[in-house]
Amino acid sequence: MSAQQVLFDAPGPRARRTILIGNIVGVLIVLGILAWVISALADKGQFAASMWTPFLESRTWEFFILPGLGNTLKAAGIAIVTSVAFGLVFGVGRLSHVAPIRWIAGVVVEFLRAVPVLLMMIFFWLALGSSGAVKPQEAPLIAVILALTLYNGSVIAELVRSGVYGLPRGQREAGMAIGLTRNQSLRNIEVPQALIAMLPALVSQFVVILKDSALGFIITYPELLQYTRRLGVGEGNVIPSLLVAAAIFIAINFALSTLATRLSVLLSFRTKGRRPAAQEAVALDAAST
Amino acid sequence: MENYLSLFETYNVPAAFWVNIQLSFWAAIWALVIGTVLALFRISPIPSLQWFGTAYVNIFRNTPLTIILAFGFLGLFSVMQISLAGELDDSLFRIAIVGLSLYHAAFVCEAIRSGVNTVPVGQAEAARAIGLGFLPAARLIILPQAFRGAIAPLGNVLIALIKNSTVAAAGSVAAESSSLMKTMIEFRSDLVIPIFLTFALGFVILVIPIGLLTTWASRKLAVAR
Amino acid sequence: MQKTRYAAAAVAAVAALTLSACGGGGDSAESGSGGEGGGESLRIGIKFDQPGLGYDEGGSYSGFDVDVAKYVANELGVTEDNIEFVEAPSANRENLLSNNQVDMIFATYSITDTRKETVAFAGPYFVAGQDLLVPTDSDITGPEDLEGKNLCSVTGSTSAQKIKDQYPGVQLVEQPGYAECVTAMGGGQIDAVTTDDIILAGLASQEANAGKFKVVGNTFSEEKYGVGLPQDSDRCEDINAAITKMIDDGAWEEAITRNTEGADYSFNKDLNPPTPEPCA
């Protein structure tokens, strides 16, 4: 239901007054919280010009923020590609009509979705580092990508599965009717449609990947947070640096989230006849890590 | 095998998990409270509150949890000098709970909103028809149904929260399980895979029953329509 | 001109290697590096986030470790342009060496018996000691005064462990880096930060921290900073010779002074400058 229109009447004069008062109180409360945070930080000199001038120097951007952002985007970008591939393989695996394949894919996906990403990252980082399988400098990047891929790949596998389940049964029946095998129908007819239907949820999952790449900071991967921390050490402006890093993450992720919403509106015509509740549940799970 | 078992004499693995469970428990309660208030804001008739709810969700949902927890230690604790307890450890533990709650509240808000979306328009119309204002209608008619419709997504937020409690290591709660796993692997790199599997399995055991339980509960409690 | 100088240095280095023949090891002439000709270029592991010791300024590196590394490299016949600095976080140092990813490590790397099992050391080039950094107006003079106080150190560091074991009354918080500790102390929530004295001095000498903190100067441990080498490395003797030369010609003391300027810090004169230990 769209609560906004139905939960309350078109306000009359008295309700309008109540709303106005509520509005003023609301604005005051919000401004009050903001003012408290800002003044508490300002008290400690966090808004002194010297704390922020480093961000006006090109050196800061050239050697700290942009390389950090570059590494963040590199890890996230590779992880996006690999998790989509992983998700397709295991999503289709879970739909296979060969029971053992379905079973194995199911166990793998359920296991990986239950293990914290950070745990996997630390494991791969230390295991790869000590085994000598990869160069120690590359171990953090590879650990970040592996952990992000395994986790987000299994979430995407679930998206693929629920997308295919949500298709009208007639799609598969039509495929069979023209002589396709079940696998062919899955590959050529159902999964491509499911992919389009799950596009918004997929884009939301990219936000998760981008956010979780910041965990790489804990395993010494030099991503944006790591670089801004390093900048903060040198300039003595740890808090402003952290805020700048947060603002950059929010800007990119907000753009992606908006894209996801736009896509879901755009595609809502094509997704009629699906089970929106099931898909929404998966999408929410995706968004919440 | 003996090697592996001796690990449990040296390191207290259950205690580390207990820290994660406690973190998750308190953060879940606070996130539920804050998230419900935010959801109310977003469906309320007052524009400034709607705006605040939307802004909150957009900011917290799009910020990495790592940054929020780091800000908890550096911003709230260190610079703004907020101590939530006399003992340092307790204070940092609570700061981590604040960070986890604020972050997950955004997702709780979205989960409840999706629950509100499952309530048919007729329910709200009926509530208005019998003369209920916004708050009574929300409290008596909409939210009870919305919560029942939101159980599955709320369960997913809880699962995410339990897993995310490992990130509290970045907010300096060093006693939790991901930190312990790191220490154990550093000292016993010969047992890296068994150690990882132990911790991974611990989370599987914590998380999967919650998933099953919420799926069951959401079916059982779903409003018949 | 440049070239001939390298060549001469390389010849000298090779000659020195053959003459010195570090303790009974096999004849693995090209030890540390993957494929470069002897002495042309070096990959050196340093800290990137430790102001005053090893810090990535953005394109260039500064700090005492970096200065010693450059001096030693120069003595080995490698000019500054041919040094590739690699980040060597504490947890990674042994791995970097045992996998031959770096030729040597100058990263506040204490010589310990446990580490000697997996890596080799040259030096020490500095003897640090665990100490406390406190606000300028603090009356803490040593670890005994820490009872009931809040202390900050880096997660998993030996200094943190030592305090936990010896002074159970101290409330310890562990952070990912010392900068976090210093920020917390600046806000008054932390009473002291502990780690090796020279690291503390490097932090205190940061422009942003000038005048705010002091190093207590009452060290309660001995950390011999060595040059970490792969176990089969044959550069140990040359590095020791370079360190001795650096100490003798005054460059060593100058490097310390430059990197701890403004921190009101003087290194422990009883233990420094150190004499490099004989190579294994």
Side-chain angles (χ1 to χ4, degrees):
Chain A
M1 86 182 196
S2 47
Q4 254 80 357
Q5 285 104 56
V6 203
L7 261 181
F8 34 85
D9 279 305
R14 235 178 69 187
R16 264 207 297 270
R17 207 169 54 231
T18 322
I19 289 176
L20 182 71
I21 293 171
N23 227 345
I24 292 171
V25 172
V27 168
L28 284 181
I29 292 175
V30 171
L31 285 183
I33 295 175
L34 273 182
W36 173 71
V37 171
I38 289 174
S39 79
L41 286 175
D43 258 8
K44 304 295 168 195
Q46 292 302 323
F47 289 100
S50 64
M51 289 278 178
W52 294 88
T53 40
F55 298 105
L56 300 176
E57 291 169 26
S58 67
R59 179 183 148 266
T60 304
W61 292 86
E62 188 186 345
F63 292 112
F64 291 93
I65 293 176
L66 293 181
L69 185 60
N71 283 343
T72 291
L73 293 179
K74 181 165 97 181
I78 298 175
I80 282 174
V81 174
T82 49
S83 12
V84 169
F86 183 98
L88 278 178
V89 169
F90 278 81
V92 171
R94 288 200 80 170
L95 293 164
S96 163
H97 60 275
V98 184
I101 296 181
R102 204 166 58 226
W103 192 78
I104 292 172
V107 170
V108 168
V109 165
E110 289 303 329
F111 176 78
L112 292 176
R113 284 206 313 159
V115 180
V117 185
L118 179 60
L119 225 55
M120 292 199 248
M121 254 183 217
I122 294 177
F123 164 69
F124 284 121
W125 172 51
L126 296 174
L128 291 174
S130 59
S131 72
V134 298
K135 295 178 182 170
Q137 301 104 297
E138 286 164 9
L141 173 64
I142 294 174
V144 169
I145 291 173
L146 274 175
L148 289 179
T149 303
L150 293 182
Y151 171 68
N152 295 287
S154 37
V155 175
I156 292 173
E158 284 299 278
L159 287 177
V160 172
R161 190 170 71 125
S162 76
V164 169
Y165 274 165
L167 288 176
R169 196 187 297 176
Q171 295 292 329
R172 170 184 294 183
E173 286 164 355
M176 310 279 245
I178 58 168
L180 299 178
T181 65
R182 277 179 72 176
N183 272 332
Q184 281 174 325
S185 143
L186 196 61
R187 270 204 316 269
N188 299 329
I189 300 197
E190 294 166 63
V191 170
Q193 292 188 67
L195 277 179
I196 291 175
M198 68 184 243
L199 215 52
L202 195 64
V203 176
S204 314
Q205 198 60 32
F206 297 165
V207 174
V208 176
I209 295 181
L210 201 71
K211 278 195 298 181
D212 280 357
S213 72
L215 290 172
F217 139 78
I218 295 174
I219 62 164
T220 74
Y221 178 62
E223 45 70 71
L224 183 59
L225 188 53
Q226 179 90 326
Y227 264 102
T228 43
R229 258 188 72 241
R230 198 180 284 163
L231 174 74
V233 179
E235 304 284 351
N237 62 349
V238 176
I239 305 267
S241 302
L242 212 57
L243 290 176
V244 168
I248 293 174
F249 270 110
I250 292 171
I252 298 174
N253 288 334
F254 184 70
L256 276 177
S257 303
T258 312
L259 175 68
T261 321
R262 288 267 167 80
L263 279 173
S264 74
V265 173
L266 223 97
L267 294 171
S268 64
F269 303 105
R270 308 186 53 151
T271 50
K272 274 185 188 134
R274 298 214 170 83
R275 296 180 305 172
Q279 239 174 327
E280 193 155 348
V282 179
L284 256 159
D285 170 46
S288 62
T289 301
Chain B
M1 192 65 197
E2 233 167 77
N3 258 339
Y4 172 72
L5 289 178
S6 74
L7 277 175
F8 290 89
E9 287 162 23
T10 325
Y11 301 101
N12 196 341
V13 178
F17 271 100
W18 182 234
V19 173
N20 286 80
I21 293 171
Q22 282 177 301
L23 280 171
S24 313
F25 177 79
W26 294 112
I29 290 176
W30 284 108
L32 190 63
V33 172
I34 303 170
T36 308
V37 172
L38 286 172
L40 270 179
F41 281 5
R42 291 194 74 174
I43 60 174
S44 80
I46 299 171
S48 68
L49 294 183
Q50 284 173 18
W51 181 87
F52 175 76
T54 313
Y56 182 98
V57 169
N58 278 330
I59 289 175
F60 278 86
R61 196 175 55 172
N62 289 322
T63 312
L65 179 60
T66 331
I67 291 189
I68 293 175
L69 289 175
F71 189 83
F73 178 79
L74 290 168
L76 291 183
F77 178 77
S78 302
V79 173
M80 292 161 78
Q81 303 179 3
I82 295 168
S83 291
L84 297 176
E87 295 276 304
L88 184 67
D89 281 352
D90 296 346
S91 196
L92 292 175
F93 183 77
R94 289 180 192 177
I95 293 263
I97 291 176
V98 170
L100 286 168
S101 313
L102 291 178
Y103 178 75
H104 290 92
F107 297 104
V108 170
C109 172
E110 290 300 90
I112 292 176
R113 244 169 44 105
S114 83
V116 170
N117 282 335
T118 65
V119 181
V121 179
Q123 296 286 326
E125 286 169 346
R128 263 175 50 203
I130 57 168
L132 295 178
F134 168 71
L135 272 180
R139 190 168 58 89
L140 297 169
I141 313 285
I142 308 298
L143 281 186
Q145 298 185 57
F147 271 115
R148 286 164 72 172
I151 289 176
L154 281 175
N156 288 331
V157 176
L158 179 60
I159 289 174
L161 170 56
I162 292 175
K163 294 193 289 171
N164 284 340
S165 67
T166 53
V167 186
S172 70
V173 178
E176 60 79 48
S177 54
S178 74
S179 315
L180 182 68
M181 184 184 89
K182 182 163 168 261
T183 316
M184 284 170 74
I185 294 179
E186 271 163 8
F187 281 93
R188 294 304 304 269
S189 53
D190 51 323
L191 293 173
V192 53
I193 289 173
I195 291 174
F196 169 69
L197 286 179
T198 307
F199 281 90
L201 214 63
F203 277 96
V204 171
I205 292 170
L206 277 180
V207 155
I208 287 194
I210 293 176
L212 295 175
L213 200 70
T214 51
T215 315
W216 173 79
S218 70
R219 281 209 194 109
K220 181 104 180 153
L221 296 176
V223 183
R225 297 204 163 97
Chain C
M1 191 59 208
Q2 278 279 25
K3 268 204 179 114
T4 42
R5 215 166 61 211
Y6 289 165
V11 167
V14 169
L17 294 182
T18 14
L19 287 175
S20 58
C22 280
D27 190 13
S28 54
E30 241 319 285
S31 56
S33 44
E36 287 104 326
E40 273 182 359
S41 70
L42 277 177
R43 283 163 306 169
I44 300 183
I46 56 166
K47 290 280 175 74
F48 275 15
D49 56 356
Q50 206 126 88
L53 281 141
Y55 183 68
D56 181 358
E57 300 259 6
S60 64
Y61 304 94
S62 68
F64 176 61
D65 279 344
V66 175
D67 290 343
V68 178
K70 283 180 185 164
Y71 190 98
V72 168
N74 192 42
E75 289 298 303
L76 294 177
V78 179
T79 53
E80 224 176 294
D81 310 339
N82 289 322
I83 302 174
E84 185 196 338
F85 285 111
V86 175
E87 181 166 19
S90 297
N92 256 2
R93 291 178 298 204
E94 282 83 9
N95 288 336
L96 284 167
L97 287 171
S98 55
N99 293 320
N100 281 333
Q101 291 305 307
V102 293
D103 299 311
M104 50 186 73
I105 284 183
F106 291 77
T108 64
Y109 204 6
S110 307
I111 304 176
T112 65
D113 287 339
T114 337
R115 284 174 184 158
K116 274 185 184 166
E117 284 167 20
T118 46
V119 299
F121 284 100
Y125 58 90
F126 187 80
V127 182
Q130 188 173 348
D131 207 333
L132 300 171
L133 185 72
V134 295
T136 323
D137 55 3
S138 169
D139 46 16
I140 293 173
T141 55
E144 317 77 50
D145 300 336
L146 287 174
E147 186 70 29
K149 294 273 168 57
N150 296 341
L151 180 71
C152 188
S153 193
V154 162
T155 319
S157 66
T158 47
S159 348
Q161 197 54 48
K162 202 171 289 172
I163 291 284
K164 255 192 237 168
D165 296 344
Q166 291 181 1
Y167 303 94
V170 180
Q171 300 201 57
L172 179 71
V173 50
E174 297 180 67
Q175 278 296 303
Y178 293 109
E180 280 84 352
C181 286
V182 170
T183 308
M185 192 160 69
Q189 293 283 59
I190 295 291
D191 302 300
V193 180
T194 187
T195 183
D196 300 344
D197 55 354
I198 186 155
I199 299 179
L200 296 173
L203 286 169
S205 73
Q206 285 293 288
E207 205 181 316
N209 298 330
K212 284 191 201 158
F213 309 116
K214 64 181 182 196
V215 183
V216 164
N218 178 5
T219 55
F220 44 99
S221 78
E222 228 175 85
E223 307 289 341
K224 294 179 193 154
Y225 284 176
V227 184
L229 297 167
Q231 217 151 28
D232 55 358
S233 172
D234 43 18
R235 291 198 172 97
C236 176
E237 301 280 355
D238 297 318
I239 293 171
N240 279 351
I243 291 169
T244 313
K245 189 176 166 202
M246 186 177 183
I247 292 169
D248 290 344
D249 70 10
W252 180 85
E253 188 158 357
E254 192 204 321
I256 293 189
T257 318
R258 188 171 57 245
N259 287 302
T260 60
E261 212 176 333
D264 183 22
Y265 165 78
S266 55
F267 58 87
N268 188 331
K269 298 274 186 330
D270 298 335
L271 301 169
N272 285 301
T275 322
E277 289 168 5
C279 294

